[in-house]
Amino acid sequence: MGGHGHPYSPAELQLPGFVPQRLSQAQIVAPFAGTAVLAVLGAWLVSGRCGGGGRLSRTDRLLMGWWLFTALTHLVFEPPFLFTPDFFSKENPNYFDDLFKEYSKGDSRYAARDTAIVALEAITVGLKGPASLLAVYAIASRKPYGHILQFAVSLGQLYGCLFYFVTAYLDGFSFWASPFYFWAYFVGNNSLWVVIPTLVATRSWKKISAAFQADKVKTR
Amino acid sequence: MGGHGHPYSPAELQLPGFVPQRLSQAQIVAPFAGTAVLAVLGAWLVSGRCGGGGRLSRTDRLLMGWWLFTALTHLVFEPPFLFTPDFFSKENPNYFDDLFKEYSKGDSRYAARDTAIVALEAITVGLKGPASLLAVYAIASRKPYGHILQFAVSLGQLYGCLFYFVTAYLDGFSFWASPFYFWAYFVGNNSLWVVIPTLVATRSWKKISAAFQADKVKTR
């Protein structure tokens, strides 16, 4: 820990009453990674048994896992940050307080409660979370709005990530405690929400364009 | 003008070397409003003459006008802000410098070069501008990706507006020189990019869902 009572960068960041983290990195990462594995596995097993009117494709079953995991991230792991402005100074920190203390090593704007971060998290928790859950249902029930919904949420996630990186760049690009945290948390963790939404959005774009292409051919 | 050498709120805002605005409100608003009228009128007239394979619907012709106007806003009126960080202190201000001096009366974060604003404008100019222009072409050429493209850009505009309002709220909601500027610029001007994208996105959502609904019925 630096001379400023916290382990974050920049060192000038003021966090009065900072309570050091109790959980180790492994204790923080394990429940999050476990949620990811359980969500994908659970969705895979359940979706293999349901499916009125023909089986769901493997891609759709994997996508249900992704949407379940991203919904749990937006609706379980992120809201505590939003509703606990004093998470870094709470005397009896819970798992989520320590989660955001750990993540702040990769982006101290979380501990600093930067406006752009709070706005992003509010929109993510309020809109993308429920919409991700709806996507699980839409795929399972083969709703006609399934593709446009998945496209909309993916685009929102991509827009959010772009905003996240651009604001970090404009504000000096110096919010990580070390290169390890830069690559592991700021780049690594967030790249999940860049790579997968890009794949999902591209797939939905193609399926939607194909539906109109087919429509055009048929009506000629 | 206040005692701080500028007419903006909050008065504590520091704008060293501020050069007072030369153009009147009418001189600033007229070219912008004129662009809107010319874009919609021009697109209407041209689209009435083109259209291989059947006429374009009235809605599509009006939408071409909207996309042309919004493209011109993103690609002509907004880039000067992005590339002129010193617009408020330039000795020989041009139209665009004065445009953003006037708009800053409704949101002084423009003059202050707030990170969230610069990030939003960068994304708008770099992505939404070219994509809006592509939407004009996609409608005219009846491309199969027309609806998903219009949906994508509209959703980006809505996401941007939401972010714009949420960051203003989080930062104290006090960036307008008077209630007039709050309602006319901060609310009024931006509501155009809330109301129209909502209508466009809803329409595209319905058309896309209907295409998959029809597909489902046919393949049964």
Side-chain angles (χ1 to χ4, degrees):
Chain A
M1 197 173 300
H4 289 75
H6 64 69
Y8 309 124
S9 169
E12 304 84 63
L13 176 65
Q14 296 294 324
L15 296 176
F18 178 77
V19 173
Q21 192 176 316
R22 296 184 189 176
L23 300 177
S24 69
Q25 188 188 41
Q27 287 172 316
I28 287 168
V29 172
F32 186 63
T35 302
V37 172
L38 283 179
V40 174
L41 203 68
W44 181 265
L45 292 175
V46 171
S47 64
R49 290 172 171 272
C50 74
R55 282 176 177 254
L56 288 164
S57 72
R58 283 186 186 185
T59 312
D60 276 335
R61 289 169 69 194
L62 282 176
L63 280 172
M64 282 175 69
W66 161 251
W67 287 116
L68 184 58
F69 165 60
T70 203
L72 291 172
T73 305
H74 296 338
L75 295 174
V76 175
F77 290 92
E78 295 182 75
F81 165 76
L82 213 53
F83 299 113
T84 323
D86 63 337
F87 74 87
F88 62 82
S89 61
K90 271 175 63 184
E91 284 207 21
N92 289 304
N94 61 30
Y95 169 78
F96 298 105
D97 300 323
D98 271 7
L99 167 69
F100 283 99
K101 277 182 209 166
E102 179 67 19
Y103 186 75
S104 292
K105 293 176 188 167
D107 189 346
S108 69
R109 296 181 297 168
Y110 275 80
R113 228 170 169 70
D114 179 87
T115 298
I117 297 296
V118 178
L120 267 177
E121 288 293 343
I123 295 172
T124 301
V125 169
L127 294 179
K128 293 177 211 165
S132 300
L133 215 49
L134 184 60
V136 180
Y137 167 77
I139 296 174
S141 328
R142 302 159 186 277
K143 292 288 179 197
Y145 60 78
H147 280 300
I148 184 67
L149 175 66
Q150 290 184 72
F151 180 82
V153 189
S154 298
L155 200 72
Q157 291 172 324
L158 287 172
Y159 196 98
C161 282
L162 187 59
F163 198 85
Y164 180 74
F165 293 125
V166 171
T167 50
Y169 172 77
L170 290 171
D171 276 343
F173 225 51
S174 60
F175 303 106
W176 26 90
S178 76
F180 168 77
Y181 291 113
F182 170 76
W183 289 108
Y185 296 175
F186 185 77
V187 175
N189 181 60
N190 288 298
S191 66
L192 206 61
W193 278 271
V194 173
V195 174
I196 300 183
T198 301
L199 295 173
V200 176
T202 308
R203 176 175 180 262
S204 296
W205 175 290
K206 282 182 186 165
K207 294 261 184 194
I208 290 168
S209 297
F212 281 96
Q213 187 73 55
D215 214 46
K216 217 173 160 181
V217 172
K218 276 174 201 155
T219 55
R220 248 177 204 161
Chain B
M1 197 173 300
H4 290 74
H6 65 68
Y8 309 124
S9 170
E12 305 82 64
L13 177 65
Q14 297 294 324
L15 295 175
F18 179 76
V19 173
Q21 192 176 315
R22 295 185 190 175
L23 300 176
S24 69
Q25 187 188 42
Q27 287 172 316
I28 286 167
V29 172
F32 186 64
T35 301
V37 172
L38 283 178
V40 174
L41 202 68
W44 181 264
L45 293 175
V46 171
S47 64
R49 291 174 170 271
C50 75
R55 282 179 177 253
L56 288 164
S57 72
R58 283 186 186 185
T59 311
D60 276 336
R61 290 169 68 194
L62 282 176
L63 280 172
M64 282 175 69
W66 161 252
W67 288 116
L68 185 58
F69 165 62
T70 204
L72 290 171
T73 304
H74 296 337
L75 295 174
V76 175
F77 290 91
E78 295 181 77
F81 164 75
L82 213 52
F83 300 112
T84 324
D86 63 337
F87 74 87
F88 62 82
S89 61
K90 271 175 63 185
E91 285 206 19
N92 289 303
N94 61 30
Y95 168 79
F96 297 105
D97 300 323
D98 272 8
L99 167 70
F100 283 99
K101 279 182 207 166
E102 179 68 19
Y103 186 75
S104 292
K105 293 176 188 167
D107 189 345
S108 68
R109 296 181 297 168
Y110 275 81
R113 227 168 171 72
D114 178 88
T115 298
I117 298 294
V118 177
L120 269 177
E121 288 292 344
I123 296 172
T124 301
V125 169
L127 294 179
K128 294 177 210 165
S132 300
L133 215 49
L134 185 60
V136 180
Y137 166 78
I139 297 174
S141 326
R142 302 159 187 277
K143 292 288 177 197
Y145 61 78
H147 280 300
I148 185 67
L149 175 66
Q150 291 184 71
F151 180 83
V153 189
S154 298
L155 199 73
Q157 290 173 324
L158 288 172
Y159 198 93
C161 281
L162 187 58
F163 202 86
Y164 180 74
F165 292 125
V166 171
T167 49
Y169 172 78
L170 290 171
D171 276 343
F173 225 52
S174 61
F175 303 106
W176 26 90
S178 76
F180 169 78
Y181 291 113
F182 170 75
W183 289 109
Y185 295 175
F186 185 77
V187 175
N189 180 60
N190 289 300
S191 65
L192 205 62
W193 278 272
V194 173
V195 174
I196 300 182
T198 301
L199 295 173
V200 176
T202 308
R203 176 174 179 263
S204 295
W205 176 289
K206 283 182 186 165
K207 295 259 183 193
I208 290 168
S209 297
F212 281 97
Q213 187 73 57
D215 216 45
K216 215 172 160 182
V217 171
K218 275 175 202 156
T219 54
R220 250 178 202 161

